[in-house]
Amino acid sequence: MKISFQKQLINPDLPCHMDGYADRISYEQHDDLEINSFLIESNEIILFHVLDIILIEKQFGEKVKSILSEKFSISKENIIIEATHTHSGPKVSTTFYPEITPSKDYLQLLLDMIVKNTEFCLNNKMEARAYYGTCEINGYYCNRNDKSLPFNNKGYILQFRNHSNCPLVSLINIACHPTVLAKDNLFISSDYIGELREEYFNLNQTPAIIINGECGDVSTRFTRQGDDFEETRRIGKGIARVLSEVKDFREISMDNLSISSFTLNIDKTIDPTVHLYEFNDIRFVTIPGEIVYNLGQLIRSQDGKPTFILAYANEYNGYAVDKEQYGKYFESSITNYPYGKADELIGGVLNLIKSKS
């Protein structure tokens, strides 16, 4: 197996409109926004681009994939474009407040950095082996609708090492909304995600790519001690320290990659697609938007095989809420999924998994 990794800054020109919450205009930047790109070459190539923005609009995701496919001869299904979901980034879509359009220059910057990183990753592959470890992350976040309800407190680490056993880069899958900062924050920021990445590197001398999972109903609402940058530091650094304490890694095989997908036709304009990336010992599942804990658990508990859930991937369809919770909480009001349709989408994922067993 070979891998490669590259990151770039994707800071906007200021002032700019912000995405998430009500419309705001930012005149200052607190911390850098990044695109973290990662390539895995097994029997096929899989390419990740993870951006510090709120979401991937479908039109933008499709445009990116078309350009990369044509320029580098990579199949579109082998490309994953994902957002970390910070609510303190520049406006990148018309999902919220459609009367305010994103900056074309900023979207072009994102596209240019994606192309640049793709070229670098294709030209700088190195031999690597994969190691998998987990931990529990307690006290920093919980179910945001009711702290007594369940949530995923696991951190999943996929660490890649060279043949001298030195770590090269880690993929980290957690499940918590990056909404520590208050709604009135006017600073561009990656929220706690950037602090987590920085502290993880300081502690391990290893870059980390943070992939958000089933955090549709998970946040720091009941656990945070403030809503400012001191708190993003406390939470980001605290989570990084917990992740860094993981020492019990086991080597896994990432051979025999197979890719499959399922599309749910809701109406003529809404047709969310999930992808399954199945390796020998691990799988990745992309979700085109936000997914709640109950549905995430259905995916993770199928057969005990390590699973990374990549939410906010390729397009955005709001919250995927299961029938049991539908209508009870806020998430049901911001979704393209009518009652029962999110369950059908995840049912499609489960059928894909079963077809591989």
Side-chain angles (χ1 to χ4, degrees), residues 167-329:
L168 300 170
V169 64
S170 292
L171 292 184
I172 296 174
N173 194 198
I174 59 174
C176 176
H177 256 82
T179 50
V180 176
L181 296 172
K183 296 179 180 180
D184 59 359
N185 168 59
L186 298 179
F187 287 83
I188 294 294
S189 173
S190 60
D191 206 272
Y192 76 85
I193 297 287
E195 297 286 354
L196 196 170
R197 282 192 304 244
E198 181 179 4
E199 183 70 1
Y200 189 87
F201 182 83
N202 290 339
L203 293 172
N204 302 280
Q205 297 304 298
T206 306
I209 303 173
I210 311 303
I211 297 172
N212 235 324
E214 61 273 41
C215 64
D217 51 359
V218 182
S219 78
T220 61
R221 176 176 297 169
F222 298 120
T223 57
R224 59 180 175 250
Q225 300 172 8
D227 55 13
D228 54 14
F229 290 109
E230 182 177 348
E231 185 65 357
T232 61
R233 284 191 291 274
R234 186 187 74 86
I235 290 175
K237 292 180 183 297
I239 294 173
R241 286 193 290 270
V242 174
L243 292 164
S244 298
E245 290 172 358
V246 176
K247 306 300 180 186
D248 186 17
F249 287 91
R250 63 181 176 89
E251 186 171 7
I252 63 171
S253 168
M254 296 190 69
D255 295 329
N256 300 315
L257 169 62
S258 67
I259 304 172
S260 53
S261 64
F262 169 75
T263 299
L264 178 68
N265 294 304
I266 297 176
D267 62 30
K268 292 181 179 179
T269 60
I270 302 172
D271 54 351
T273 297
V274 293
H275 287 85
L276 172 66
Y277 299 85
E278 191 86 11
F279 296 90
N280 281 355
D281 293 339
I282 196 168
R283 65 172 61 100
F284 302 139
V285 176
T286 66
I287 302 294
E290 314 199 40
I291 182 175
V292 297
Y293 166 78
N294 284 356
L295 295 176
Q297 278 303 101
L298 286 175
I299 296 172
R300 292 193 191 272
S301 63
Q302 279 305 288
D303 53 13
K305 188 172 186 176
T307 299
F308 272 45
I309 293 178
L310 288 70
Y312 310 104
N314 302 320
E315 60 176 294
Y316 184 80
N317 291 282
Y319 292 95
V321 183
D322 58 294
K323 289 188 288 187
E324 181 183 342
Q325 296 189 88
Y326 204 93
K328 292 183 179 180
Y329 305 110

Side-chain angles (χ1 to χ4, degrees), residues 76-90:
K76 292 179 183 179
E77 67 179 3
N78 294 60
I79 303 166
I80 300 169
I81 314 296
E82 183 174 2
T84 59
H85 199 55
T86 175
H87 283 50
S88 295

Side-chain angles (χ1 to χ4, degrees), residues 84-138:
T84 59
H85 199 55
T86 175
H87 283 50
S88 295
K91 189 169 181 63
V92 291
S93 80
T94 55
T95 299
F96 309 110
Y97 299 93
E99 69 277 7
I100 303 171
T101 58
S103 162
K104 292 182 179 179
D105 289 341
Y106 187 66
L107 294 180
Q108 185 62 48
L109 169 69
L110 298 182
L111 179 57
D112 290 344
M113 292 299 101
I114 289 171
V115 171
K116 184 176 182 179
N117 277 11
T118 299
E119 186 169 21
F120 179 91
C121 287
L122 288 170
N123 292 329
N124 291 273
K125 293 176 284 189
M126 64 191 85
E127 293 286 343
R129 299 160 72 175
Y131 295 80
Y132 175 75
T134 65
C135 63
E136 290 188 359
I137 303 170
N138 296 313

Side-chain angles (χ1 to χ4, degrees), residues 332-349:
S332 305
S333 65
I334 304 182
T335 179
N336 287 336
Y337 300 99
Y339 176 80
K341 287 296 181 179
D343 302 76
E344 289 184 31
L345 183 75
I346 302 310
V349 175

Side-chain angles (χ1 to χ4, degrees), residues 57-91:
E57 200 162 51
K58 183 175 183 177
Q59 183 179 3
F60 179 74
E62 290 179 344
K63 180 179 180 180
V64 168
K65 291 190 176 193
S66 294
I67 290 173
L68 296 185
S69 180
E70 181 176 349
K71 185 175 180 64
F72 300 107
S73 299
I74 304 173
S75 174
K76 292 179 183 179
E77 67 179 3
N78 294 60
I79 303 166
I80 300 169
I81 314 296
E82 183 174 2
T84 59
H85 199 55
T86 175
H87 283 50
S88 295
K91 189 169 181 63

